[in-house]
Amino acid sequence: MRLQILLVLSSLLFSARTLAEPANEIVFLTEHSMPGIYLDEQGQVAGPTVELVKELNRRMEQGGYYYLMPWARAMQRAQQTPRSVLFETVRNEEREALFKWVGPVKFYDMQLYGPPQLAGLGLSSTELSRRHVACGYRGASYHSALEAMGFSEENNLVLIARAGDCIQMLKLGRAELTPLNRLRYGERFSAFGVELVPLQPIRNVELYLAFSLDFSDEEIQRWQYQLDQMFLDGTVRRLYQQDFPEELINRLEQAAAKSLQRRGAN
């Protein structure tokens, strides 16, 4: 309940302040996504992913305001707010023209997780959707993939407003399946009395910083360069290593090295 109140206050504060923010300030919009992004005890947006963005913003010598709100609302506001950055955002074909992109800042191997007793049955995605209920969060990029598997909100899909709440739905018995990132949760996830294992792949995705279209291409190139440098000088490793797996960090550092090589070749 306290987090829901803070989310509402953050959204109201965003609405009240945007008109008064100086033109050179950047509005950063994000969602609750443990362990990378959350509201701390003082109601401030915090977490290792937030620290990455703040350090990147500092290196770019920019000011900024940070707001946390439900993802669907953050996505809508990001498309309406000048000089805004939405993070962490799945980059896909549907969203490509909506923003300018800097990243990646995460890789996700999204898989449909469920009870361990289902793992040995060899059920197809169609069979899973016929027999079981899934939970996902509203506005997520994997929604269309779940629909392709046979899940629908009218029948066997519970949609919630905040990432992470699906585990509570599974604990309460209101759903049995949920998408999770294998790179983070591995081959067995256990929390709050719920045990889950990957059953079906959904998609591999890359998460980016999504900049509003009023940023110039030259600015985007500078942001990308600074982000790549943060991966290669160990800054992101220091921020991520307590919460994210080595496999993920290594892949991000390799992607940054390739990005810089491409820049050098052009």
Side-chain angles (χ1 to χ4, degrees):
M1 178 62 71
R2 180 177 183 275
L3 178 57
Q4 291 175 335
I5 293 172
L6 289 172
L7 285 171
V8 171
L9 291 175
S10 178
S11 181
L12 291 174
L13 184 61
F14 171 85
S15 299
R17 293 184 61 176
T18 47
L19 292 178
E21 286 163 3
N24 62 338
E25 300 287 336
I26 297 174
V27 176
F28 292 93
L29 302 166
T30 189
E31 65 159 346
H32 178 93
S33 181
M34 293 291 289
I37 307 166
Y38 55 88
L39 288 179
D40 63 18
E41 290 299 318
Q42 290 72 45
Q44 300 298 312
V45 186
T49 308
V50 178
E51 292 305 313
L52 178 154
V53 175
K54 287 184 175 180
E55 172 60 18
L56 178 58
N57 196 40
R58 185 192 68 79
R59 295 188 185 196
M60 289 296 295
E61 299 181 340
Q62 300 286 314
Y65 297 94
Y66 296 79
Y67 301 96
L68 187 148
M69 59 188 65
W71 181 251
R73 188 180 306 164
M75 172 67 76
Q76 180 184 39
R77 295 291 179 87
Q79 296 174 65
Q80 299 169 346
T81 306
R83 303 293 290 178
S84 65
V85 178
L86 178 67
F87 71 98
E88 309 158 313
T89 310
V90 172
R91 184 175 183 176
N92 58 25
E93 184 177 353
E94 294 83 3
R95 297 173 177 173
E96 183 67 28
L98 299 178
F99 302 101
K100 295 184 178 181
W101 303 89
V102 172
V105 293
K106 295 274 179 60
F107 289 108
Y108 271 25
D109 174 12
M110 295 302 296
Q111 304 224 5
L112 188 63
Y113 277 62
Q117 57 267 30
L118 296 181
L121 300 181
L123 298 175
S124 68
S125 58
T126 301
E127 291 171 319
L128 285 170
S129 66
R130 285 175 181 169
R131 303 180 189 182
H132 303 282
V133 176
C135 179
Y137 74 96
R138 195 174 299 278
S141 66
Y142 56 67
H143 194 167
S144 60
L146 289 180
E147 289 181 334
M149 290 180 172
F151 294 98
S152 66
E153 189 174 3
E154 296 78 17
N155 183 30
N156 53 4
L157 177 60
V158 177
L159 292 179
I160 46 85
R162 187 166 65 95
D165 281 351
C166 278
I167 301 304
Q168 184 66 19
M169 293 293 102
L170 268 65
K171 182 180 178 180
L172 294 173
R174 297 178 185 174
E176 301 152 284
L177 313 173
T178 190
L180 292 174
N181 176 18
R182 187 195 63 81
L183 287 175
R184 165 137 181 84
Y185 296 103
E187 300 307 313
R188 183 174 290 265
F189 170 77
S190 180
F192 308 109
V194 175
E195 287 203 11
L196 302 170
V197 298
L199 301 175
Q200 284 285 332
I202 297 178
R203 62 173 57 169
N204 290 306
V205 298
E206 298 180 353
L207 275 67
Y208 278 69
L209 310 180
F211 286 68
S212 57
L213 296 176
D214 54 336
F215 283 85
S216 70
D217 291 343
E218 182 182 5
E219 285 180 288
I220 295 300
Q221 291 176 8
R222 293 202 304 270
W223 282 87
Q224 183 67 59
Y225 176 80
Q226 290 296 339
L227 177 64
D228 292 339
Q229 291 294 336
M230 286 177 59
F231 278 111
L232 297 185
D233 67 19
T235 299
V236 180
R237 174 173 289 273
R238 175 177 56 80
L239 294 172
Y240 275 12
Q241 62 188 355
Q242 302 239 337
D243 298 286
F244 300 108
E246 182 70 15
E247 179 184 357
L248 171 63
I249 297 171
N250 286 337
R251 286 182 61 184
L252 288 166
E253 290 174 344
Q254 292 166 10
K258 290 180 180 178
S259 174
L260 287 174
Q261 288 174 359
R262 288 194 298 268
R263 289 171 61 90
N266 292 333

